[in-house]
């Protein structure tokens, strides 16, 4: 019979346990063919560790191996095995990790020592420093799957990041996201009219009109080619993006697939002004570059160029919007002072707000949410619904006026009622008119944007046939 070993307090020692000369305790066990050691000053504490080691061993959890791995190490494994990532997405993930996660204490500690409170504290810190909840999702997109891979590889028993982002998003802990800016109808009309009449900025009219009139993402718009545009069928094929990214340590333009699978789509050209500006732009490009050699990733025939004839970036457009807005606001303030009225100023906005403006106009014009989702290329139906349910103050006032008209409808003669409907029909595709229910507006084919068309009967023949009128867009009025 084996001799029972005891410590200096007379307690029986289990197999593998030893009391050292300094009074501390050691536990020896095997991991594969190698001996591993646990130390503790207290026998009870040591046995808690023993219990966990043996439990992990029985369940196949590789705790001791994981003690040599940090979250940074696991992220490298995750990225190396995620071969389906687009180069642009991979570059973005690496940037986010290096800039926000890599130097955090929890990212440099052994995997089994990372606790839920560490991830929660990190996410909370980002929110306190001004991170929007949607931006935090980008961080969670790389932290959560990295830890999930550690779970799948049996390095840790459970994912400490599980459910934290969802909790912060739903329990009100995160600051409310900033309200998306959509230009009002008056603001977008003023914006386009000012560009059209400005000798300095008129060359920006084609791309601004296309962005406002199609709702394409900026990378989709700057990347469209002549072969993507079908003016006979009034459609644009969105099948690639033109982006500027640092990939493999080199900054430059790259052709990538659209943001999501839903991003690959064919969108209708809803406004004649868009078709006209695209036609004129293609003619201009053909005249300026008869022997066009601008090719990237096998894609050629780019419609929009910068002043040197190279690729146009979102940065180029945002700088132009800033200059145009500042110049417009200065002139508008001077004019308003002369006319003794309040100036109608443009807000500070970026190129992405043009997409949101288009989506807002679309939501104001039709209740077909599925159609809106397809045109916008939203992967998530809830994204479309969030925008659709958001009604601007301007739209609320318009709806109130329409309700008021409907309430008094019986007092209106049948003849005058027809006039209102006809007038509403004739402004279906107007980018530049100042009001929706005016009996005159700027004809898209007119080179003079201030030239009104007064002959509504003639216009009806040149517009859509009665049975093809896109009545759901009669209030779109970009």
């Amino acid at each position: 019979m084996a001799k029972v070993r005891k410590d200096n307090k007379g307690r029986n020692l289990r197999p593998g346990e030893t009391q050292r000369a300094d009074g501390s305790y050691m536990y020896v066990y095997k991991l594969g063919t190698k001996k591993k050691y646990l130390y503790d000053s207290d026998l009870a504490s040591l046995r808690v560790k023993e219990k966990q080691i043996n439990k992990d061993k029985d369940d196949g959890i590789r705790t001791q191996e994981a003690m040599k791995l940090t979250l940074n190490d696991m992220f490298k494994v995750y990225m190396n095995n995620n071969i389906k990532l687009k180069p642009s997405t991979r570059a973005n993930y690496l940037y986010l990790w290096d800039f926000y996660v890599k130097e955090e204490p929890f990212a440099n500690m052994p995997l089994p020592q990372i606790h839920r409170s560490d991830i929660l504290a990190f996410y909370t810190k980002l929110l306190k420093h001004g991170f929007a909840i949607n931006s935090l999702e980008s961080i969670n997109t790389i932290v959560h799957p990295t830890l999930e891979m550690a779970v799948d590889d049996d390095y840790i028993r459970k994912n400490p990041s599980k459910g934290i982002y969802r909790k912060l998003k739903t329990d009100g802990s995160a600051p409310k996201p900033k309200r998306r800016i959509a230009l009002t109808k008056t603001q977008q009309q003023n914006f386009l009219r000012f560009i059209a009449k400005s000798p300095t900025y008129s060359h920006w009219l084609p791309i601004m009109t296309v962005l406002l009139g199609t709702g394409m993402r900026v990378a989709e718009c700057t990347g469209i080619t002549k072969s993507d545009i079908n003016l006979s069928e009034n459609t644009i094929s969105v099948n690639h993006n033109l982006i500027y990214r640092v990939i493999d340590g080199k900054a430059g333009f790259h052709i990538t697939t659209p943001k999501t699978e839903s991003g690959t789509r064919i969108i209708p050209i809803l406004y004649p002004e868009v078709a006209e500006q695209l036609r004129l732009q293609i003619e201009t490009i053909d005249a300026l570059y008869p022997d066009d050699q601008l090719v990237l990733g096998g894609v050629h025939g780019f419609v929009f160029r910068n002043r040197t004839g190279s690729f146009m970036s979102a940065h180029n457009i945002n700088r132009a919007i800033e200059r145009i807005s500042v110049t417009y606001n200065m002139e508008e303030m001077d004019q308003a002072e002369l006319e003794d009225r309040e100036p109608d100023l443009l807000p500070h906005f970026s190129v992405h707000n043009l997409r949101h403006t288009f989506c807002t106009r679309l939501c104001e014009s039709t209740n077909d949410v599925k159609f809106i989702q397809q045109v916008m290329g939203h992967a998530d139906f809830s994204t479309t619904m969030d925008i659709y349910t958001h009604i601007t103050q301007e739209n609320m006032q318009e709806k109130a006026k329409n309700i008021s008209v409907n309430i008094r409808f019986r007092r209106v003669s049948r003849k005058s009622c027809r006039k209102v409907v006809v007038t509403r029909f004739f402004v279906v595709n107007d980018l530049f008119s100042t009001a929706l229910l005016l009996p005159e507006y700027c004809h898209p084919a007119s080179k003079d944007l201030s030239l009104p068309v007064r002959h509504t009967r003639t216009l009806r023949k040149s517009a859509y046939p009665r049975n093809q009128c896109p009545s759901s867009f009669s209030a779109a009025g970009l």
Side-chain angles (χ1 to χ4, degrees):
M1 184 175 176
K3 184 180 178 181
V4 177
R5 297 178 299 115
K6 297 181 180 287
D7 66 359
N8 56 16
K9 294 182 179 180
R11 293 176 295 190
N12 292 345
L13 295 175
R14 297 171 182 170
E17 294 178 347
T18 306
Q19 186 172 32
R20 306 172 76 197
D22 61 0
S24 63
Y25 296 88
M26 177 178 68
Y27 175 66
V28 183
Y29 66 100
K30 276 191 174 182
L31 186 65
T33 59
K34 293 185 178 180
K35 283 187 177 182
K36 298 290 180 180
Y37 302 89
L38 283 179
Y39 301 94
D40 205 295
S41 59
D42 179 64
L43 182 59
S45 299
L46 181 72
R47 286 177 173 173
V48 171
K49 294 178 182 177
E50 287 178 39
K51 185 178 179 181
Q52 187 62 49
I53 288 290
N54 291 324
K55 187 174 188 304
D56 289 345
K57 210 159 138 189
D58 293 340
D59 294 343
I61 305 298
R62 302 150 65 187
T63 305
Q64 291 307 303
E65 292 177 65
M67 291 299 291
K68 295 181 179 179
L69 292 174
T70 67
L71 187 62
N72 283 326
D73 297 327
M74 202 67 215
F75 177 69
K76 291 176 184 176
V77 176
Y78 170 71
M79 292 298 289
N80 289 337
N81 286 280
N82 204 341
I83 58 176
K84 289 186 178 181
L85 285 179
K86 294 191 296 183
S88 58
T89 305
R90 181 177 295 276
N92 190 45
Y93 281 5
L94 291 171
Y95 166 78
L96 289 172
W97 191 273
D98 290 344
F99 198 81
Y100 293 105
V101 184
K102 188 176 181 179
E103 300 303 324
E104 290 293 321
F106 75 91
N108 294 282
M109 64 174 60
L111 287 171
Q113 294 181 6
I114 300 175
H115 299 118
R116 180 181 175 84
S117 58
D118 297 319
I119 307 297
L120 179 60
F122 171 58
Y123 285 4
T124 304
K125 182 182 78 171
L126 291 178
L127 291 173
K128 286 181 178 178
H129 283 74
F131 247 65
I133 190 66
N134 292 337
S135 300
L136 183 62
E137 184 178 12
S138 301
I139 300 295
N140 187 66
T141 299
I142 51 179
V143 171
H144 179 79
T146 299
L147 287 166
E148 197 63 31
M149 177 171 275
V151 174
D152 293 341
D153 285 349
D154 297 323
Y155 286 126
I156 54 178
R157 190 174 293 275
K158 58 183 181 180
N159 189 336
S161 71
K162 188 174 182 179
I164 293 180
Y165 171 74
R166 189 184 303 110
K167 176 181 177 295
L168 291 172
K169 187 175 181 179
T170 57
D171 70 358
S173 302
K176 292 183 179 179
K178 293 181 181 179
R179 178 177 168 268
R180 293 175 178 174
I181 295 176
L183 300 181
T184 65
K185 293 168 188 173
T186 301
Q187 287 171 345
Q188 70 183 52
Q189 289 155 7
N190 289 342
F191 178 67
L192 288 178
R193 282 183 164 185
F194 179 77
I195 297 173
K197 294 178 180 179
S198 169
T200 306
Y201 302 115
S202 59
H203 62 283
W204 287 102
L205 184 62
I207 194 165
M208 298 299 181
T209 302
V210 172
L211 285 165
L212 258 174
T214 63
M216 284 190 288
R217 298 178 178 92
V218 62
E220 295 170 347
C221 186
T222 55
I224 62 171
T225 64
K226 289 181 280 189
S227 61
D228 296 326
I229 300 167
N230 188 335
L231 292 179
S232 61
E233 295 185 8
N234 274 341
T235 60
I236 298 174
S237 173
V238 181
N239 51 63
H240 61 269
N241 289 343
L242 175 65
I243 62 169
Y244 187 86
R245 287 282 191 282
V246 177
I247 298 179
D248 296 330
K250 295 181 180 179
F253 285 97
H254 303 271
I255 293 293
T256 68
T257 55
K259 186 177 179 182
T260 63
E261 287 185 11
S262 303
T264 301
R265 63 202 189 278
I266 295 178
I267 59 175
I269 299 176
L270 302 174
Y271 304 99
E273 292 86 353
V274 174
E276 180 65 10
Q277 289 299 328
L278 285 172
R279 183 185 64 78
L280 293 173
Q281 181 67 9
I282 291 172
E283 289 178 0
T284 301
I285 292 297
D286 288 342
L288 289 174
Y289 310 104
D291 186 22
D292 192 6
Q293 311 233 335
L294 191 64
V295 181
L296 183 65
V299 179
H300 60 89
F302 293 92
V303 173
F304 297 110
R305 313 287 181 90
N306 65 13
R307 61 185 177 182
T308 64
S310 187
F311 304 108
M312 185 174 288
S313 68
H315 179 64
N316 297 144
I317 301 172
N318 279 324
R319 286 183 62 191
I321 289 174
E322 180 69 19
R323 293 195 301 268
I324 292 166
S325 298
V326 169
T327 307
Y328 166 83
N329 285 341
M330 290 176 63
E331 293 186 13
E332 170 64 11
M333 283 190 290
D334 291 341
Q335 189 64 30
E337 187 175 358
L338 289 173
E339 298 174 4
D340 194 23
R341 59 173 175 82
E342 288 295 320
D344 193 359
L345 302 178
L346 293 174
H348 177 74
F349 65 96
S350 70
V351 63
H352 189 72
N353 296 117
L354 300 182
R355 172 174 163 83
H356 187 56
T357 298
F358 170 82
C359 188
T360 301
R361 295 292 93 83
L362 210 53
C363 291
E364 292 169 351
S365 306
T366 179
N367 58 4
D368 188 344
V369 182
K370 191 64 180 175
F371 173 75
I372 297 171
Q373 182 188 10
Q374 291 171 346
V375 171
M376 299 303 297
H378 290 152
D380 190 352
F381 185 75
S382 64
T383 303
T384 311
M385 284 302 301
D386 287 343
I387 299 171
Y388 181 76
T389 54
H390 174 73
I391 302 176
T392 63
Q393 187 65 33
E394 179 192 17
N395 196 33
M396 289 173 63
Q397 291 173 355
E398 184 179 335
K399 286 182 181 293
K401 288 179 183 178
N402 290 340
I403 291 171
S404 177
V405 169
N406 290 335
I407 290 173
R408 298 195 301 269
F409 193 79
R410 292 180 181 177
R411 302 180 187 177
V412 181
S413 68
R414 186 179 295 272
K415 182 177 179 181
S416 55
C417 174
R418 277 200 302 271
K419 287 182 180 178
V420 173
V421 175
V422 168
T423 304
R424 199 173 167 81
F425 167 73
F426 288 137
V427 293
V428 60
N429 280 324
D430 178 19
L431 275 163
F432 300 95
S433 75
T434 56
L436 286 177
L437 299 181
L438 290 177
E440 60 183 37
Y441 78 111
C442 305
H443 195 283
S446 171
K447 293 182 180 179
D448 182 1
L449 297 176
S450 63
L451 179 63
V453 176
R454 298 176 182 275
H455 303 290
T456 55
R457 295 293 177 189
T458 305
L459 178 58
R460 176 182 235 165
K461 294 177 182 177
S462 64
Y464 293 93
R466 193 187 245 321
N467 61 349
Q468 296 179 16
C469 171
S471 57
S472 60
F473 300 101
S474 60
L478 256 175

